[in-house]
């Protein structure tokens, strides 16, 4: 019963809440989808904590993604001990960088008085979940080593079976408690996304990479503009 809940019930509940909740929030409260930056209240500690955390966590995310999408290639690559050791040391280093970042951000929330007034209960939940994820990840990396190899062998097939609606958790059910906690907290984290500021990563402004860095807007028709999704720069005024 315990394994059925952790490895079957929880994943599907999390994915359903994530998908439905994200769509509903974006459709009903689009302007609430924001990181709600507190940089104006404090920037020095934020700079170090945010950069460290994002560099570490994004690198680890793509490492997990590669292991999930290309398990055979990862198994082949890590078959050479030197390569495996390099990947393990690199992943652990980025994990420590993520830990430094999240601890710094938590310290910032506690130490800076002005931030306490804008810190919600959901912010505390998010920080707690992220901290659990990072700590259990480091725990696994140190005590249950060579994760880059056994992830591709055991966890990748389990995750694939979940997405194919044929969950097979026999391999992960036999794993240590640290790995189970890491998996469970990851699914809880996914389920919490629609209710937190984490929604902002779903609407990353990719258009900023291709548009002009600034707009010179002339005269435009307000009614037309309200119904348009284009970057209409209007019509340049003419001298009479």
């Amino acid at each position: 019963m315990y394994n059925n809940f952790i490895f079957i019930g929880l994943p599907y509940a999390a994915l359903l809440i994530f998908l439905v909740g994200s769509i509903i929030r974006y459709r009903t409260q689009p302007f609430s989808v924001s990181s709600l930056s507190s940089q104006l209240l404090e920037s020095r500690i934020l700079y170090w904590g945010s950069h460290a955390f994002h560099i570490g966590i994004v690198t680890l995310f793509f490492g997990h993604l590669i292991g999930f999408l290309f398990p055979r290639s990862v198994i082949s690559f890590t078959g050479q001990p030197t390569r495996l050791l390099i990947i393990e040391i690199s992943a652990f280093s980025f994990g420590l960088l993520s830990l430094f970042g999240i601890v710094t951000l938590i310290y910032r929330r506690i130490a800076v008085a002005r931030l306490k007034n804008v810190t919600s209960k959901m912010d505390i939940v998010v920080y707690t979940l992220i901290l659990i994820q990072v700590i259990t990840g480091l725990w696994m990396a140190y005590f249950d080593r060579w994760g880059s190899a056994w992830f591709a062998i055991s966890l990748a097939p389990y995750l694939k079976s979940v997405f194919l609606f044929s969950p097979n958790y026999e391999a992960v059910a036999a794993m240590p408690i640290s790995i189970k906690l890491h998996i469970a907290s990851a699914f809880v984290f996914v389920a919490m996304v629609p209710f937190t500021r984490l929604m902002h990563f779903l609407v990353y402004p990719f258009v900023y990479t291709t548009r002009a860095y600034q707009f010179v807007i002339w005269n435009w028709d307000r009614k037309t503009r309200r119904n348009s999704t284009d970057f209409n720069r209007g019509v340049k005024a003419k001298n009479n």
Side-chain angles (χ1 to χ4, degrees):
M1 182 65 70
Y2 167 80
N3 287 329
N4 286 338
F5 172 74
I6 295 297
F7 301 117
I8 299 179
L10 183 59
Y12 287 119
L15 291 173
L16 180 63
I17 293 172
F18 172 78
L19 291 174
V20 176
S22 298
I23 293 172
I24 292 176
R25 180 174 175 186
Y26 186 75
R27 296 289 294 179
T28 59
Q29 303 176 25
F31 292 105
S32 72
V33 181
S34 168
S35 62
L36 300 175
S37 176
S38 57
Q39 184 176 1
L40 293 176
L41 300 177
E42 196 285 325
S43 60
R44 186 176 62 86
I45 302 176
L46 175 65
Y47 175 84
W48 295 106
S50 179
H51 279 70
F53 172 73
H54 283 91
I55 291 173
I57 210 69
V58 169
T59 303
L60 292 173
F61 169 78
F62 281 106
H64 284 67
L65 186 63
I66 291 172
F68 170 66
L69 295 177
F70 311 104
R72 293 184 179 180
S73 298
V74 171
I75 293 172
S76 176
F77 185 82
T78 56
Q80 212 281 338
T82 302
R83 295 175 182 172
L84 178 60
L85 188 62
I86 292 173
I87 291 177
E88 290 293 308
I89 294 175
S90 300
F92 192 76
S93 300
F94 282 111
L96 290 176
L97 186 63
S98 299
L99 180 63
F100 168 79
I102 190 62
V103 169
T104 301
L105 293 174
I106 292 174
Y107 165 78
R108 174 176 175 266
R109 289 278 172 176
I110 297 173
V112 180
R114 288 179 294 179
L115 292 175
K116 293 181 181 179
N117 295 327
V118 297
T119 301
S120 65
K121 293 180 180 179
M122 199 57 70
D123 290 333
I124 298 174
V125 172
V126 169
Y127 280 123
T128 302
L129 286 174
I130 294 176
L131 189 61
I132 292 173
Q133 276 293 100
V134 174
I135 290 177
T136 53
L138 289 171
W139 181 3
M140 290 188 304
Y142 189 81
F143 293 104
D144 304 297
R145 298 176 184 177
W146 322 125
S148 53
W150 56 253
F151 176 91
I153 295 172
S154 301
L155 282 181
Y158 159 68
L159 293 174
K160 181 179 179 180
S161 71
V162 170
F163 285 106
L164 293 177
F165 298 101
S166 180
N168 182 357
Y169 61 82
E170 292 182 2
V172 292
M175 290 185 168
I177 186 63
S178 60
I179 300 176
K180 294 180 179 179
L181 182 59
H182 191 69
I183 295 173
S185 60
F187 286 125
V188 173
F189 181 84
V190 169
M192 293 300 296
V193 168
F195 310 101
T196 67
R197 66 178 66 193
L198 294 171
M199 271 284 292
H200 75 276
F201 76 81
L202 297 177
V203 290
Y204 190 84
F206 291 106
V207 68
Y208 287 175
T209 62
T210 58
R211 76 167 200 182
Y213 72 96
Q214 66 177 169
F215 287 138
V216 178
I217 300 176
W218 305 100
N219 299 322
W220 60 22
D221 184 280
R222 294 184 180 181
K223 292 182 179 180
T224 303
R225 180 59 183 172
R226 288 195 194 100
N227 298 323
S228 174
T229 58
D230 298 329
F231 289 119
N232 185 354
R233 296 167 177 78
V235 180
K236 185 176 181 179
K238 297 181 179 179
N239 294 327
N240 294 326

